[in-house]
Amino acid sequence: MHSLPRRLLPLLFCTFAIAASAQTQDTGISIPHMDPAVRPGDNFYLYANGGFIAHTKLPPDRASIGVFNALVDLSFKQVASIIDDATKANAPAGSDERKIADLYKSYMDEAAIESHGVPALKPHLAEIDAIHTPHDLARALGQSVRADVDALNLGQFHTANLFGLWVAPSFNDPNHYAPYLLQGGIELPNRDYYLDDSENMKSIRAKYQTHVATMFRLAGLSDPEARATRVLALETAIAEKQISLADSEDIHKANNPWHPADFTAKAPGLDWPEFFTAAGLDKQDVFLVWQPSAFTGEAALVASQPIDAWKDLLAYHLIENHAPAISKAIAAERFAFFGTTLSGTPQQRPRDFRAQAIVSATLGDPVGKIYAKRFFPPEAKAQVESMVANLIAAFHARLEDITWMAPATKKEALTKLGTLKVSVGYPDHWRSYAAYQVSPDNLFANLWNADLFEYHYSLGRIGQPTDRTEWCMEPQTVNAVNLPLDNSLNFPAAILQPPFFDPKAPAAHNYGAIGTIIGHEISHTFDSEGAAFDSEGRVRNWWTPEDLAHFETVTSALAAQYDTYEPFPGVHVKGKQVLGEAIADVAGLAAALDAFHASLKGNAAPKVANFAGDQQFFIAFAQNWASVTRDAALRQQVLTDPHPPGQYRALTVRNEYGWYTAFDIQPTDKLYLAPKDRVRIW
Ligand SMILES: [Zn+2]
């Protein structure tokens, strides 16, 4: 069994890559985006998107551009108007509007960053410098812990701190929040970057070492080259102790309750009592340790590796993770490595855009509250909620039809569907940001305090009753997510806009575009990860061994289908890594097609540009995935992301019988799959 994050999109795409403008297209599918010269059965992705690809020029500040990005751009314009109004309002100190205005100002004020950044960094560097004993080191490592990971909802497994905290409903008591601890300690995206022997990775490592040295030099530290050598050696040793992304995604390996004494016994080397005290976690009597072998391995490294190497690592991570707030030169060097070398993007996004991104991410709820009110009308919410109801009915019918599931399993699946909480647009209630202080001219302090604010918010939730109406995304985020421990879904307002959802577009388009996305998220409720959580969010294997065997046979065929995709010679999509997302795509497409047909109530769907309803449905689905991506970014996605690249997500149609009929696909077509090879999940 295998578990995967349930958000719809790579976070990277949502954070860094934005297109020029979103189009409005109330006729639904975009004809200019298509390439009629391509046969739909040979490459359905290019058939639906060839025009978009031919006409899209990647600006130098983008790693990727797609229809998702166009919508992200629209959302940012909307957020920009919120910031602009907050700035003009001159709102009272301490109010949400004032915080929005001040945080934006602090990011835009380059002169203030230049004069405050290094002085703000200095005391933190001095603290690291004052580490002399293993006890001191344990304290510093504990103080560095942040709530910067999220294993199940957002699929954020990476933290550069030694370990990361995630507070979520407990695997074993889903009615209360518990602290989960995840592996960390490296700055590059994952362990493969340190351990893979390909020429491409070797070259990245050489450039990385130079980059680390440059960061030390720019921050004014002595012996930058020697320090960089030590950092790379230590991070490589940590990477060796970490487990892979695919293994991290397996929740059946993650339910490891450890009491404080277990850490000392099972992971000797780190002064755990000091570590927990410094992290504010000394009152906890049980933790869920996600990757136990990494905790054992990394704790041993704390004892076996020289304290000086650890000090260098802490100093480098401190500088790297606050780069935009320290100085122009340090911020530019960070982008040169992480933006250009790793993602292939020559230029940074404009400063005002980056400032909006910081405000939107840091003040998620205060911005979201205004966003929802201003940009998500009640009629749109009602229409999407009725589509959701149709999708749930389609899943209900499909589950009822399944013959391979044991009756008890089917009953629990239907109970899960019946109790699934689907939230559309925005949360029912909002978080208070009263404890977050914002200065108009000290970005370093603002970012530092924001991380601590989030951390203390998480600490405060431990042991509290679970709030099943909670959101883990902001309304202004173009994405969607399944929260397995809450048995709930979030569909933020920002994704419920054209081209994904348009109240004026034909149903064929809306079901093909946003309907398949809603179906994707619902499917996660029952998929390989959903199968591990019952209707109350408890980790309980509610499948029989026979159900599981059938599911694994069917889904391994799907993994094998994805293994055949080869974006670069010799570089294949990792079927196992993307399996959870591929399953959700197959199931979401099938259920959305059913829901679309049901919505017609026996009437024929209106034609658009001579395309029948089902044709529009499949084209709209494939158009969700239009993108132009730089090679380096695509390589990074194949290595690190649980989502398949969009060009292959569009090919999900191969598994759907309705697609063969709609486009008259024949065995001679390249995408043709014999009926026995078409994967049906539900
Ligand atoms: Zn997903």
Side-chain angles (χ1 to χ4, degrees), residues 99 129 158 222 241 261 384 474 523-524 530 566 575 655:
K99 285 174 186 172
D129 210 37
H158 182 267
S222 61
K241 305 297 181 191
V384 175
E474 284 75 42
S523 172
H524 278 314
E566 191 178 6
N655 297 294

Side-chain angles (χ1 to χ4, degrees), residues 5-8 520-521 524 581 584 643 649:
R6 330 294 200 94
R7 80 191 130 79
L8 177 75
H520 171 110
E521 296 303 334
H524 278 314
E581 296 305 309
H643 300 82
R649 296 184 82 167

Side-chain angles (χ1 to χ4, degrees), residues 276-491:
F276 283 131
T277 301
L281 289 165
D282 48 318
K283 301 285 187 291
Q284 304 311 317
D285 62 344
V286 67
F287 297 87
L288 291 152
V289 176
W290 201 271
Q291 306 106 332
S293 64
F295 279 71
T296 304
E298 294 190 40
L301 288 173
V302 174
S304 69
Q305 299 302 302
I307 284 188
D308 280 346
W310 282 103
K311 289 167 71 170
D312 289 332
L313 179 121
L314 284 167
Y316 163 60
H317 289 179
L318 174 71
I319 299 162
E320 189 68 75
N321 298 332
H322 296 85
I326 300 171
S327 73
K328 198 172 180 173
I330 286 178
E333 171 59 26
R334 173 175 170 78
F335 182 79
F337 182 76
F338 284 95
T340 307
T341 303
L342 277 196
S343 299
T345 314
Q347 259 180 40
Q348 250 190 122
R349 299 308 318 274
R351 188 157 201 97
D352 60 345
F353 169 85
R354 286 180 274 140
Q356 288 153 15
I358 287 282
V359 171
S360 188
T362 308
L363 291 164
D365 271 28
V367 172
K369 199 171 170 178
I370 304 170
Y371 185 94
K373 205 170 170 187
R374 201 178 282 187
F375 301 111
F376 194 57
E379 312 80 69
K381 185 170 161 85
Q383 197 175 332
V384 175
E385 282 173 343
S386 99
M387 287 182 71
V388 168
N390 288 346
L391 258 298
I392 287 180
F395 269 102
H396 197 279
R398 286 186 158 257
L399 286 169
E400 289 276 18
D401 271 359
I402 288 180
T403 50
W404 55 266
M405 242 184 194
T409 314
K410 189 187 277 193
K411 187 162 170 273
E412 181 64 24
L414 289 167
T415 305
K416 264 197 103 166
L417 187 65
T419 54
L420 180 70
K421 172 154 178 63
V422 181
S423 300
V424 172
Y426 48 87
D428 298 342
H429 52 84
W430 304 92
R431 260 174 75 182
S432 163
Y433 278 62
Y436 177 43
Q437 306 297 323
V438 181
S439 148
D441 63 1
N442 194 334
L443 180 63
F444 191 100
N446 290 344
L447 298 187
W448 186 270
N449 292 339
D451 288 346
L452 279 181
F453 170 70
E454 285 301 324
Y455 188 64
H456 290 134
Y457 173 74
S458 289
L459 288 184
R461 295 214 305 167
I462 298 173
Q464 297 294 312
T466 297
D467 169 13
R468 293 195 186 283
T469 66
E470 71 176 338
W471 272 53
C472 70
M473 256 178 199
E474 284 75 42
Q476 64 273 26
T477 302
V478 182
N479 212 325
V481 68
N482 181 311
L483 294 75
L485 293 163
D486 293 306
N487 194 25
S488 75
L489 309 179
N490 298 168
F491 290 100

Side-chain angles (χ1 to χ4, degrees), residues 190-261:
N190 72 21
R191 70 195 296 272
D192 297 344
Y193 281 78
Y194 298 87
L195 308 177
D196 184 316
D197 256 347
S198 68
E199 287 309 312
N200 182 41
M201 284 301 187
K202 279 187 199 161
S203 139
I204 285 176
R205 281 197 288 277
K207 288 173 184 156
Y208 178 58
Q209 188 166 337
T210 307
H211 162 71
V212 177
T214 307
M215 293 297 261
F216 277 127
R217 185 166 47 249
L218 291 171
L221 277 80
S222 61
D223 298 324
E225 275 79 18
R227 287 180 197 265
T229 305
R230 286 197 291 266
V231 167
L232 185 57
L234 182 51
E235 286 192 344
T236 305
I238 293 170
E240 281 166 357
K241 305 297 181 191
Q242 290 193 346
I243 68 170
S244 71
L245 180 60
D247 283 336
S248 288
E249 288 168 345
D250 185 345
I251 63 134
H252 295 281
K253 294 178 182 162
N255 188 5
N256 307 290
W258 283 21
H259 297 281

